Amino acid sequence: MDLTTRYLGLRLRNPLVAGAGPLTGALDTIRRLEDYGAGAIVLPSIFEEQIEHEAELLESLIATGADSHPEAVGYFPASVSYDTGPGPYLDLVRRATEAVRIPIIASLNGITDHGWVDYARQIEEAGASALELNIYFIPADIEMTGRDVERRYVDILKAVKRTVRIPVAVKLGPYFSATGHMAMQLEQAGADGLVLFNRFYQPDIDLGRLALLSDLALSTAAEIRLPLLWIGVLAGRLKASLAASTGVESADEIVKYLLAGADVVMTTSALLRHGVEYMKVLREGLESWLAMREIETLDSLRGRMSQRNVMDPTAFERANYIKILQGLR
Ligand SMILES: Cc1cc2nc3c(=O)[nH]c(=O)nc-3n(C[C@H](O)[C@H](O)[C@H](O)COP(=O)(O)O)c2cc1C
């Protein structure tokens, strides 16, 4: 059975990608994910503010140390060669690309213009096969318009594309007034792929302690519907690759995303819930689903249920909504 897949111009042995998350941040688990059959791996994001914060901490440590205990200066030389900055991340990129044969996709979350561009360049130099831009950004400033938000996405992408030659994917959230048009603008600005969608952290309130809860709940399979809708709508309309991300719990969700038109399917929560070996369960599940239906290649499956290919394209839009409501009555 041929599961080979093209994503961002790269050749993957199958469409299963270990999405960004804690399990892709260590060499040991990266190797095991390859052994269990992942087609590619997205490293966790490097966050610009984290790097800057660590550098500031060290600076202030040096300053305090130098002021309060003159003898301590020796411990903190003025020219710092400690592993702050992007060093450890770049090291991970380097070592991961050496350790496995499958593509290693780095992920960057910047804040400043120079942060996006500088770190993107360094990630490319470290040997990543591709770069995912995790533009995790909640426009909580109520003065900011939708157009401002869109421009920000496009500007970041253009600046990074001017800097690196490796393929670049943009991971975005679903909350745009016109998600399809946003996707088109990103493609026109040079995106080699889109990852649909990022799952924004949403706080809860602990009523006992009257405090904001900052836990990160893992996803469930019920959450595939929104990305499935947009993958289905965009498939066949863009040249950029499409990666589905959110809600993969079993091979069923993978098949659904492929049917809707995804080039690859990413999973993070399921691996955290069941362990890295679950990658094998997912891959075997996909293979047996295809084998039972005697489907030999993914190309004959991919996009078969996209909006362009279904008999009733309105099934993705409003007409179906009305039918459903009438059915309920
Ligand atoms: C614990 C945890 C850490 C994550 N870290 C990152 C990250 O560093 N960068 C990123 O782009 N996405 C990150 N994500 C989001 C996932 O990559 C993914 O897009 C999201 O969880 C939806 O996929 P899932 O339903 O398979 O979990 C993280 C998710 C979880 C649960």
Side-chain angles (χ1 to χ4, degrees):
M1 186 178 299
D2 182 12
L3 296 184
T4 49
T5 294
R6 285 202 85 74
Y7 177 57
L8 309 176
L10 306 167
R11 191 168 177 278
L12 274 51
R13 58 181 171 170
N14 69 52
L16 300 185
V17 175
L23 291 176
T24 60
L27 272 192
D28 165 50
T29 38
I30 289 173
R31 282 203 191 92
R32 288 172 63 213
L33 284 165
E34 179 182 49
D35 292 345
Y36 288 125
I41 287 175
V42 186
L43 302 183
S45 305
I46 179 173
F47 289 88
E48 185 181 342
E49 63 262 59
Q50 209 176 340
I51 302 167
E52 306 294 329
H53 179 63
E54 280 168 14
E56 273 166 25
L57 267 182
L58 189 62
E59 286 290 324
S60 74
L61 201 57
I62 293 167
T64 336
D67 288 349
S68 51
H69 307 284
E71 72 280 10
V73 175
Y75 301 122
F76 302 111
S79 137
V80 180
S81 62
Y82 291 112
D83 257 350
T84 57
Y89 191 83
L90 299 174
D91 200 41
L92 175 69
V93 174
R94 244 175 254 118
R95 293 171 64 195
T97 37
E98 280 162 17
V100 297
R101 297 167 64 135
I102 54 176
I104 293 291
I105 302 171
S107 169
L108 171 60
N109 182 305
I111 13 174
T112 62
D113 292 349
H114 79 85
W116 283 105
V117 170
D118 291 352
Y119 296 130
R121 182 186 300 116
Q122 294 180 53
I123 283 170
E124 175 173 57
E125 284 166 7
S129 302
L131 176 62
E132 195 173 283
L133 301 181
N134 170 14
I135 312 185
Y136 187 106
F137 166 65
I138 296 177
D141 173 0
I142 63 170
E143 303 273 328
M144 191 171 224
T145 67
R147 186 165 294 186
D148 293 338
V149 175
E150 293 185 5
R151 195 174 303 131
R152 184 180 165 121
Y153 274 74
V154 170
D155 287 350
I156 290 169
L157 173 64
K158 279 186 176 165
V160 171
K161 280 295 288 185
R162 275 196 298 270
T163 310
V164 299
R165 291 214 199 105
I166 51 173
V168 178
V170 179
K171 185 174 192 180
L172 60 163
Y175 308 116
F176 292 94
S177 299
T179 304
H181 186 69
M182 183 73 241
M184 201 181 76
Q185 288 186 75
L186 289 169
E187 182 185 75
Q188 287 168 353
D192 299 282
L194 301 175
V195 182
L196 309 181
F197 287 116
N198 210 342
R199 204 160 157 265
F200 289 140
Y201 158 66
Q202 297 169 356
D204 197 359
I205 294 177
D206 179 331
L207 288 179
R209 294 188 298 124
L210 280 192
L212 277 185
L213 276 179
S214 54
D215 55 339
L216 192 63
L218 299 181
S219 68
T220 66
E223 289 175 56
I224 73 161
R225 289 179 176 224
L226 188 57
L228 192 74
L229 165 76
W230 283 108
I231 297 267
V233 169
L234 294 174
R237 293 198 166 102
L238 298 176
K239 282 193 234 74
S241 306
L242 293 176
S245 168
T246 297
V248 168
E249 181 49 34
S250 69
D252 284 1
E253 288 76 52
I254 295 169
V255 174
K256 288 179 191 181
Y257 274 136
L258 293 171
L259 282 167
D263 294 296
V264 295
V265 182
M266 297 184 172
T267 174
T268 299
S269 291
L271 296 176
L272 284 169
R273 197 174 274 131
H274 305 291
V276 281
E277 55 277 19
Y278 197 64
M279 183 56 85
K280 181 163 183 265
V281 176
L282 292 175
R283 200 202 62 218
E284 289 175 354
L286 172 63
E287 281 170 354
S288 62
W289 195 94
L290 295 169
M292 272 170 61
R293 286 153 188 87
E294 297 179 356
I295 298 174
E296 286 296 322
T297 65
L298 285 182
D299 287 340
S300 52
L301 171 91
R302 194 177 273 118
R304 215 196 260 183
M305 303 284 298
S306 69
Q307 188 180 31
R308 284 187 116 190
N309 290 338
V310 287
M311 297 280 279
D312 173 13
T314 62
F316 275 89
E317 297 172 30
R318 182 179 162 76
N320 203 41
Y321 179 53
I322 300 167
K323 272 186 233 152
I324 294 166
L325 292 185
Q326 281 169 345
L328 286 176
R329 278 185 210 133

